[in-house]
Amino acid sequence: MDIALLILGFLLMLVGILGSFLPVLPGPPLSWVGLLLLYLTKAVPDNWWVLGITFVLAMAITVLDYVIPAMGTKRFGGTKAGMWGTIIGLLVALFVPVFGPFGIIIWPFIGALVGELLNKANQKTALKAAFGSFLGFLTGTFMKLVLTVMYAIFYVYIAVKYAGELFTFS
């Protein structure tokens, strides 16, 4: 059973890294579940502090990933209309894969732009706010990527540390 948990946990680590870029996959939570599966093996001793801290980090980054593009819109002169446009654009990207994987970049940008234009902003202000949304998206993606790669490295470290116990066939 330990081998099955180890393999499934590792696969979740890989899917979590992919989830850093793909909007339909919640990368950090998936990576955290991979860590949880590793700690559920008989070979790796329970460490609820590690699991608790990594869980809080995964949830915080996941929430921030939805908030940061709106904050970027606001920081670059956008209004609430632009922030709502960014959020609506993110939701459209999740449910309408028109632009494929690039939709997660394009839709929030379009949403912020349309939101600002509907709010009667001039084109320059609207473009600036949309650019803020784009920077916010890149920031969120970078944070998710760093966290999921760190989780994967930690996963491999723990798996190697307890390899002797994990791979006993008795």
Side-chain angles (χ1 to χ4, degrees):
M1 187 64 173
D2 282 357
I3 301 295
L5 289 172
L6 185 71
I7 291 169
L8 185 57
F10 185 73
L11 289 174
L12 283 171
M13 285 291 150
L14 296 178
V15 172
I17 291 171
L18 285 175
S20 298
F21 301 102
L22 302 174
V24 295
L25 298 173
L30 288 174
S31 290
W32 182 82
V33 171
L35 278 176
L36 176 65
L37 292 179
L38 179 64
Y39 276 93
L40 289 178
T41 62
K42 292 177 186 169
V44 179
D46 294 339
N47 190 335
W48 297 110
W49 281 103
V50 168
L51 288 173
I53 291 169
T54 54
F55 177 77
V56 168
L57 285 172
M59 292 302 111
I61 294 294
T62 300
V63 168
L64 283 174
D65 184 47
Y66 291 100
V67 172
I68 287 176
M71 290 172 46
T73 302
K74 179 97 172 143
R75 173 78 172 96
F76 279 79
T79 62
K80 286 189 179 191
M83 288 174 28
W84 277 107
T86 301
I87 292 168
I88 291 168
L90 279 168
L91 293 173
V92 168
L94 290 173
F95 299 110
V96 183
V98 172
F99 297 115
F102 297 105
I104 195 68
I105 298 170
I106 296 168
W107 283 116
F109 182 86
I110 291 171
L113 184 63
V114 168
E116 291 300 330
L117 290 173
L118 288 175
N119 196 37
K120 299 184 175 47
N122 62 29
Q123 285 182 336
K124 183 179 179 182
T125 303
L127 278 171
K128 189 176 174 186
F131 180 71
S133 166
F134 176 70
L135 283 180
F137 164 76
L138 289 179
T139 301
T141 299
F142 179 73
M143 288 184 342
K144 289 189 304 183
L145 178 64
V146 167
L147 186 70
T148 56
V149 167
M150 285 175 37
Y151 282 7
I153 291 169
F154 184 63
Y155 182 94
V156 169
Y157 169 77
I158 296 296
V160 168
K161 182 177 178 180
Y162 293 100
E165 293 88 3
L166 284 167
F167 295 107
T168 57
F169 301 102
S170 53

